[in-house]
């Protein structure tokens, strides 16, 4: 006895298909929106927080880096950040902003997602490394959430898809 098991993900019909085909096509969109909005917010939050962009003081990036230096997995990364804490703070904030905007617009999505994954990896190895148990830290789940977008990009509702469709050569029947 055989069972009818679907092995295809996308319908071969253009514009057709059942709800499962549409759900599969749009599956990464909620993740893309969440990560994009979150990283735009995180970047803007850092850029507008006058206390964050300082060498020292309550809520400063410098004090945060000094606090996690001895518990991080890669103290050399923290030492690098401590050479110029405000510069590091601006780099992280602008990186988060660029990653978020690129992800929301679907522009160079794989590159934006790789940037998001690298930011999350660096924060996991430094700031949230000492979280115990490990799943209490939020940077590792963010790192894992970026990986599907690194692999798949933004195939729908994105500037990448629009640019890709414009570059696609037209078939003989397309010219009128």
């Amino acid at each position: 006895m055989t069972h009818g098991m679907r092995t295809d993900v996308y319908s071969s019909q253009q514009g057709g298909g059942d709800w499962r085909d549409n759900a599969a096509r749009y599956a990464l969109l909620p993740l893309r929106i969440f990560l994009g909005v979150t990283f735009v917010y995180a970047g803007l939050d850092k850029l507008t927080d006058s206390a964050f962009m300082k060498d020292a003081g309550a809520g400063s990036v410098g004090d945060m880096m000094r606090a996690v230096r001895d518990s991080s997995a890669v103290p050399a990364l923290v030492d690098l950040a401590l050479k110029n804490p405000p510069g590091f703070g601006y780099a992280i904030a602008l990186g988060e902003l660029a990653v978020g905007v690129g992800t929301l617009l679907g522009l160079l999505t794989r590159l934006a997602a790789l940037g998001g994954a690298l930011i999350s990896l660096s924060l996991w190895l430094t700031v949230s490394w000492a979280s115990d148990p490990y799943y209490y830290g939020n940077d590792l789940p963010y790192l894992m959430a970026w990986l599907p977008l690194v692999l798949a990009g933004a195939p729908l509702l994105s500037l990448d898809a629009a640019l890709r469709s414009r570059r696609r050569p037209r078939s003989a029947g397309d010219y009128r």
Side-chain angles (χ1 to χ4, degrees), residues 55-89:
D55 280 326
S60 71
V61 66
D63 278 3
M64 180 180 66
M65 290 290 106
R66 281 186 281 282
V68 300
R69 198 243 176 245
D70 293 333
S71 63
S72 76
V74 187
L77 275 176
V78 179
D79 291 339
L80 184 63
L82 284 170
K83 288 184 180 189
N84 184 357
F88 174 73

Side-chain angles (χ1 to χ4, degrees), residues 130-146:
S131 296
D132 187 31
Y134 74 92
Y135 50 82
Y136 279 175
N138 63 349
D139 296 309
L140 183 59
Y142 276 105
L143 170 60
M144 293 299 120
W146 282 113

Side-chain angles (χ1 to χ4, degrees), residues 114-174:
L114 179 61
L118 290 173
I119 290 170
S120 296
L121 175 64
S122 67
L123 292 174
W124 176 55
L125 291 173
T126 55
V127 177
S128 63
W129 181 258
S131 296
D132 187 31
Y134 74 92
Y135 50 82
Y136 279 175
N138 63 349
D139 296 309
L140 183 59
Y142 276 105
L143 170 60
M144 293 299 120
W146 282 113
L147 296 182
L149 293 176
V150 170
L151 296 172
L156 294 169
L157 300 176
S158 67
L159 291 175
D160 289 344
L163 292 170
R164 194 171 34 257
S165 71
R166 293 187 86 200
R167 282 185 292 220
R168 212 175 275 139
R170 295 181 183 193
S171 64
D174 287 346

Side-chain angles (χ1 to χ4, degrees), residues 31-45:
L31 182 63
R32 201 175 108 208
I33 292 168
F34 170 75
L35 290 171
V37 167
T38 301
F39 267 58
V40 166
Y41 180 81
L44 290 175
D45 189 43

